[in-house]
Amino acid sequence: MNFVTIGEISDLGWFCWPGSPIPATRCGVAVLSDTMTIPRGPTLFGIPLDFILFGLTLLGVAVFHHHTMRVALAGLATITLYKIVFTGFTSGDGVMGLVSHLDHEWVILANLLCLLMGFALLSRHFEKSHVPVALPKYLPHDWKGGFILLVMVWILSSFLDNIAAALIGGGMAHQLFRAKVHIGYLAAIVAASNAGGAWSVLGDTTTTMMWIDGVSPMQVFHASIAATTALFVFGIPAAIKQQRYSPILAHVHEHPRVDWVRIAIVTLILVLALATNVTVNVKFTGYADHFPFLGVAVWVAILVSAGMRRPDWEVLPRALRSSIFLLSLVLIASMMPVERLPLASWQTTLSLGFLSAVFDNIPLTALALEQGGYDWGMLAYAVGFGGSMIWFGSSAGVAITTIFPEARSVLAWIKGGWFVAIAYVAGFSVMLMVIGWHPEPKRRPKHGPSETSNAQHRTPNAEVPAFDVRCWTFHQKPS
C-alpha cells in the first residue's frame, strides 16, 4: 500500500490527485502515514480514470444530444464495470460494494424518479386548467410580461420543489408564447426555479439538507440578495430575447373557463408534498434516508385525485426517458471518489457553483456540511443556482426538456442562455460586496440521529480521521 500527500491549493492549483507525479516537497505537507491512507489506483497524467470516464460521458452528452439517454446509460455501465473490477466503491469492493452503494443511494434516486414523473403529470393538469391561457389578461403585452412570468417561477420555487416550479413555468410559457419558446428563455425559467429555492430551506434539496444538518433558515436567507440580483441580470435579457423571438400572447379570442377541479388537484399535490417534506425533515429525520417519502406523497395525491380528472398518462414514457438520463448522471456522480473539498473560502464556494453544472450538487453539499467553515448563504446560492448553466446541471433543467426536447443541446443552451453564467457571477459578487464572507457554525441542533448513531452505521472504509486539508482527496482500491 502506498501513501500519497495532501498539498496546498496555493501551490498546486485545484487538485492533488492520488498517484500525482508532484513531489512531496511541492505539496508542503509530510506524508500522512499516521493520519490517512489513500491507496493508488489507475490514473492518467495523475488524474483518476473515474473522472476521465465521467468527463467523456458528459462530453458524449454534449455532442450527441439526440441520444443523451443512450450515452448516459453507456457511461453508467462502463464506469460501474470499471469500479467493480479496478477501484471498488467507498462502501466496499466488487459486486457487494456496488450493492452497498446502491443501498445508500436508492432513496435519492427513487425520490427523483417519482418527482420527475409525478410533476410531469402535474404540469399537464395545470396546463389543462386554462390558467395559463387566462394570464394574458393580467400580464403586460411586451417583454415585461415574460419577465413577470420568471418572477412568478422564482417565487413559486421558494416554497415548492424546483422541478414543480420549472414545469409550471414551462407550461405557462408554452401557452403564452404559442409553443414557440426560445432556448435562452427556457434556461431563464430553470435559472429562476433554482435561484428562488436557493435562499429557502423548503425550496431546494440542498438547502433542506443544510436545514436538517443544523443550519438555521436565517443563515441561508441572505442568499436572497444574490438570487434577486441574478433574477434581474438573466431575467431582463431573457424576456427581451423571447419577446423578439415570439411575442407574448396579447389577448385571447374567447374567455377561457378555468377548470377549478384541476387547480384543486395541483394544489393537493403541492400541499401534500410540502407537508410531507416539512414533517419528515422535522419530526422523522432518522427515517428520511430509508424511504422516498416525498416522491411517494406526490404519487399518493395523483392516484387519489385520478377519479376527479384523468391524468395525462401519455406523457409518462417521455418523462421516464428523461428521468433515466438524469438518474444515470446522478448515480455516476455519486460514484466519483471525492472525499474532501478544498479549504472553505469564498473562492472555493464560487467554484462549487460552476462544478455543480456538471456534478451532482447533493454530494457536494454533503461534503461541505461535513467539512464546515462555510458561509451557508453563499454555499446555498452556489450549489443551488450553479446547475442552471447547463441543461442537465439540475433536475429542473432535465424536467423542462420533457416539454421542450429541443433544449437538450449544451451548445445551444450556453449560446442562448449566456446570461445565466453572468448572472451567477454577478449575484455572487453583489452578495460578497454587501454581506462579505462570514463563515459560521451551525446554529441549531442537528435533526435526526445522533453522531454516535451515525458512527455505528459508518463503514470502516469510509472512516477518515479529521485533519486540516486544502485540496481534494480521493478513495481508491489498493493496488
Side-chain angles (χ1 to χ4, degrees):
M1 181 179 291
N2 300 311
F3 298 104
V4 297
T5 58
I6 310 299
E8 300 279 353
I9 282 184
S10 58
D11 294 336
L12 300 181
W14 281 109
F15 303 98
C16 179
W17 306 94
S20 170
I22 301 172
T25 54
R26 290 287 308 278
C27 288
V29 180
V31 173
L32 302 174
S33 57
D34 296 329
T35 309
M36 181 178 182
T37 62
I38 308 178
R40 296 179 186 270
T43 62
L44 183 63
F45 302 111
I47 302 175
L49 290 183
D50 312 62
F51 285 91
I52 294 176
L53 292 174
F54 189 23
L56 291 175
T57 301
L58 296 176
L59 180 62
V61 169
V63 174
F64 304 105
H65 54 268
H66 294 297
H67 307 282
T68 53
M69 188 180 74
R70 295 179 183 177
V71 172
L73 287 175
L76 176 61
T78 302
I79 292 173
T80 300
L81 182 62
Y82 167 78
K83 300 284 288 184
I84 290 174
V85 175
F86 293 103
T87 66
F89 302 84
T90 303
S91 54
D93 297 334
V95 175
M96 294 308 299
L98 173 63
V99 172
S100 179
H101 183 78
L102 292 176
D103 181 62
H104 183 267
E105 299 291 331
W106 81 270
V107 173
I108 293 176
L109 299 175
N111 261 328
L112 277 175
L113 178 62
C114 290
L115 291 177
L116 287 167
M117 301 282 284
F119 286 147
L121 296 175
L122 177 144
S123 67
R124 290 293 293 156
H125 274 305
F126 185 75
E127 185 176 344
K128 285 191 170 185
S129 71
H130 299 144
V131 168
V133 180
L135 281 178
K137 181 179 178 181
Y138 306 98
L139 293 177
H141 299 155
D142 55 9
W143 66 267
K144 292 187 287 294
F147 178 72
I148 291 177
L149 175 58
L150 295 176
V151 174
M152 292 169 62
V153 172
W154 190 91
I155 294 173
L156 280 174
S157 65
S158 67
F159 59 90
L160 295 181
D161 185 89
N162 58 348
I163 300 174
L167 287 174
I168 290 174
M172 290 190 292
H174 190 272
Q175 294 289 333
L176 290 174
F177 301 110
R178 296 173 291 274
K180 191 179 179 183
V181 185
H182 195 279
I183 290 182
Y185 193 76
L186 294 177
I189 291 175
V190 172
S193 68
N194 288 330
W199 56 272
S200 166
V201 295
L202 299 178
D204 191 85
T205 303
T206 54
T207 51
T208 303
M209 289 172 61
M210 295 181 189
W211 182 35
I212 295 171
D213 207 61
V215 176
S216 167
M218 294 306 299
Q219 288 181 286
V220 301
F221 182 76
H222 62 275
S224 60
I225 297 174
T228 303
T229 302
L231 175 63
F232 282 91
V233 173
F234 71 74
I236 293 176
I240 294 174
K241 176 176 287 192
Q242 176 60 44
Q243 184 67 15
R244 292 173 179 172
Y245 182 70
S246 177
I248 192 170
L249 191 65
H251 57 82
V252 290
H253 298 292
E254 58 182 25
H255 296 288
R257 184 176 180 179
V258 175
D259 189 340
W260 292 106
V261 175
R262 290 191 184 273
I263 294 297
I265 292 174
V266 171
T267 303
L268 173 65
I269 296 171
L270 295 178
V271 168
L272 188 56
L274 181 62
T276 302
N277 189 30
V278 173
T279 302
V280 172
N281 289 324
V282 172
K283 299 294 185 180
F284 306 102
T285 311
Y287 300 96
D289 293 335
H290 302 288
F291 189 78
F293 292 100
L294 184 58
V296 170
V298 167
W299 273 93
V300 166
I302 290 173
L303 295 177
V304 166
S305 61
M308 302 166 62
R309 288 289 189 274
R310 178 185 178 274
D312 276 4
W313 305 114
E314 294 78 11
V315 304
L316 291 183
R318 186 170 61 181
L320 179 60
R321 288 192 293 270
S322 296
S323 301
I324 291 174
F325 164 77
L326 177 62
L327 296 180
S328 298
L329 292 187
V330 170
L331 187 55
I332 292 173
S334 71
M335 295 180 185
M336 294 300 101
V338 178
E339 299 290 345
R340 294 285 186 221
L341 298 178
L343 186 68
S345 66
W346 70 261
Q347 295 94 333
T348 298
T349 308
L350 177 66
S351 301
L352 288 179
F354 288 100
L355 186 61
S356 67
V358 295
F359 197 94
D360 182 27
N361 59 4
I362 293 176
L364 289 180
T365 305
L367 287 170
L369 288 169
E370 180 182 356
Q371 181 184 15
Y374 281 88
D375 181 312
W376 301 115
M378 287 192 178
L379 179 67
Y381 172 74
V383 298
F385 184 77
S388 311
M389 289 183 271
I390 297 179
W391 71 269
F392 58 78
S394 71
S395 54
V398 174
I400 208 168
T401 61
T402 62
I403 304 175
F404 303 94
E406 65 274 14
R408 293 175 186 154
S409 170
V410 172
L411 294 180
W413 188 278
I414 295 175
K415 181 180 178 181
W418 53 268
F419 33 74
V420 173
I422 294 176
Y424 169 68
V425 176
F428 193 95
S429 300
V430 169
M431 180 166 54
L432 187 63
M433 289 186 293
V434 173
I435 302 295
W437 170 257
H438 296 291
E440 294 181 300
K442 300 160 190 174
R443 294 180 181 174
R444 296 170 43 258
K446 180 177 179 180
H447 289 307
S450 64
E451 291 298 324
T452 304
S453 175
N454 288 335
Q456 292 174 353
H457 291 85
R458 197 173 295 140
T459 61
N461 286 344
E463 290 182 357
V464 179
F467 60 96
D468 185 11
V469 59
R470 296 192 178 186
C471 75
W472 303 78
T473 60
F474 306 88
H475 170 81
Q476 292 180 302
K477 181 181 175 181
S479 57

